[in-house]
Amino acid sequence: MNRWISRAFALLSVPAVFVSILAVPAPAQAATVSVPDSFTFTGSGWGHGIGMSQVGARGQAAEGRTAKQILEYYYTGASVASFRDDMDLRVSMAYLKTSMRMRVEGLTSTPARATIVVGTKTVKLTEKDVAVISVVGTQTQVKRNGVLVATGSPIVVRWSGTRNPGANGSAPAVLNATTASTFDGDGHRYRYGKFELRGKYSSVVKRTTLTAVNVVRLHDEYLKGVAEVPSSWPAASLQAQVVAARSYALVKYRAGVRGGCWCHVFKDTRDLVFAGYLKESSYMGERWAVAVKATNVSATSSQTVLFQGAPAQAFFFHSTGGRTQNAEDVWGEKVSYLRSVDDHWSLDPKYDSSFALW
């Protein structure tokens, strides 16, 4: 969410400086001046500056503040309290694509299984099988190991070891699902939920394309895959990030399914970065999973940033030049809980060695 927006603002800032220089009236008789060979801009921070500073949260956690204290500091007038979050969230895995490759991969010695259901037809997959779901013209086709085995839409994919595995059993597994031509890399393995795919006519590209979503429970399954901060950071800062991400996702869920992507949120910086199983299985990933669990209040509700009783759109970003921004000063619209506050932690190199000064 943060890096994409920050780059846009970085690009906008340079022309603004250039225009202001040109706008200065020229004197009647210009003095002779020397033009330097180069000049340097200096500053600090990275991101849009609205809401919670992730580096600031890290610094506050290191000083002993709790996640609740951090969140209520950055979201002025908001409160952290329990809110229901056990609904299924639809996360976009493919949008305006033509095909997706899939295979099931076991996490133990017990063989993993998966099924692809197309209408009344069920296609079974073992760990040796590769499925390709693609749009050909207006048809959505399923091929297993290169052989066409089903045609139709929508399509539901389940695999073993999930909350609702169907007939696939309880063996722990991930679904390796990618729109790339190979399965190489680690960022497209999914441990939870199910996949839903369909061929859908797109008015954007004027043809039928493949749309795919990972349907996961927001309460824990989705949040375990959100990859917005390093898992090595202090526990309170991780918990603050979990709660902010939950609050943001709840606002998106309550807005309804987006027609174009058939989703509530995208898996990239258009919303929150969702890395799937990679987040909890990578270096110190268990600390992130612990932080998610620590924010759960019951099986159906969790700590959430609330404003006037409803989930707040808890924007966050990497770091500042020492102070966060009022929403209206950046995006033109005032939001009561997105006010400017001190963020001196972002200027401390021990918390942010990359952007405390640039």
Side-chain angles (χ1 to χ4, degrees):
M1 177 176 74
N2 311 315
R3 295 178 179 85
W4 180 83
I5 296 173
S6 63
R7 279 196 286 268
F9 277 95
L11 289 171
L12 287 172
S13 64
V14 175
V17 173
F18 180 67
V19 170
S20 67
I21 293 171
L22 293 181
V24 177
Q29 186 173 359
T32 301
V33 295
S34 60
V35 179
D37 293 332
S38 65
F39 58 90
T40 303
F41 285 105
T42 59
S44 60
W46 184 252
H48 50 67
I50 299 174
M52 184 179 72
S53 162
Q54 293 168 313
V55 169
R58 180 188 186 187
Q60 291 198 47
E63 293 176 2
R65 291 180 178 84
T66 66
K68 178 180 172 67
Q69 290 172 327
I70 294 169
L71 291 160
E72 292 181 352
Y73 175 81
Y74 283 113
Y75 302 110
T76 307
S79 61
V80 176
S82 178
F83 196 86
R84 184 169 182 175
D85 69 340
D86 63 332
M87 63 286 293
D88 283 344
L89 192 73
R90 303 177 66 84
V91 186
S92 176
M93 296 288 111
Y95 175 58
L96 301 181
K97 299 296 184 179
T98 57
S99 66
M100 174 168 271
R101 298 166 59 84
M102 294 182 173
R103 72 183 181 196
V104 63
E105 299 174 357
L107 297 177
T108 66
S109 58
T110 304
R113 299 285 187 271
T115 51
I116 302 174
V117 177
V118 187
T120 59
K121 185 175 182 64
T122 298
V123 179
K124 297 181 180 180
L125 300 179
T126 69
E127 293 182 45
K128 296 179 180 180
D129 298 318
V130 173
V132 178
I133 301 172
S134 58
V135 169
V136 180
T138 59
Q139 283 192 335
T140 306
Q141 299 181 347
V142 179
K143 290 185 178 181
R144 180 179 55 197
N145 303 326
V147 178
L148 180 64
V149 290
T151 301
S153 179
I155 296 167
V156 178
V157 183
R158 300 183 188 275
W159 58 99
S160 58
T162 59
R163 180 165 39 105
N164 187 6
N168 295 302
S170 59
V174 294
L175 185 73
N176 190 334
T178 178
T179 56
S181 58
T182 73
F183 291 108
D184 294 344
D186 297 320
H188 38 78
R189 289 174 172 82
Y190 304 95
R191 178 71 180 86
Y192 307 107
K194 63 181 177 180
F195 265 58
E196 294 183 1
L197 306 93
R198 67 174 180 175
K200 182 178 182 296
Y201 179 80
S202 169
S203 59
V204 176
V205 295
K206 309 299 182 184
R207 59 180 171 81
T208 302
T209 61
L210 185 68
T211 300
V213 293
N214 185 195
V215 183
V216 283
R217 186 170 55 202
L218 173 54
H219 179 80
D220 49 1
E221 295 174 347
Y222 172 67
L223 290 168
K224 285 181 180 179
V226 171
E228 287 282 354
V229 293
S231 299
S232 59
W233 281 13
S237 65
L238 297 184
Q239 292 170 23
Q241 181 64 73
V242 170
V243 176
R246 176 183 292 115
S247 307
Y248 179 93
L250 276 168
V251 170
K252 294 294 185 178
Y253 173 83
R254 286 156 67 90
V257 175
R258 306 183 202 183
C261 64
W262 204 28
C263 71
H264 295 112
V265 294
F266 285 94
K267 67 173 182 176
D268 53 32
T269 51
R270 283 171 286 186
D271 287 303
L272 307 179
V273 175
F274 179 70
Y277 188 60
L278 177 63
K279 177 60 176 176
E280 61 178 305
S281 62
S282 59
Y283 176 69
M284 300 187 81
E286 70 282 356
R287 299 186 73 251
W288 177 253
V290 168
V292 173
K293 187 174 182 179
T295 67
N296 297 144
V297 177
S298 70
T300 59
S301 63
S302 301
Q303 295 172 10
T304 306
V305 180
L306 302 178
F307 185 75
Q308 296 179 348
Q313 195 157 21
F315 291 109
F316 53 87
F317 60 96
H318 183 267
S319 59
T320 71
R323 191 169 187 88
T324 69
Q325 300 294 304
N326 293 318
E328 66 269 23
D329 294 335
V330 179
W331 293 333
E333 182 178 351
K334 183 176 181 179
V335 180
S336 298
Y337 54 84
L338 299 176
R339 316 312 301 152
S340 175
V341 297
D342 173 71
D343 186 47
H344 63 271
W345 301 276
S346 286
L347 299 176
D348 191 333
K350 73 181 177 183
Y351 298 131
D352 188 16
S353 58
S354 298
F355 298 106
L357 176 65
W358 47 256

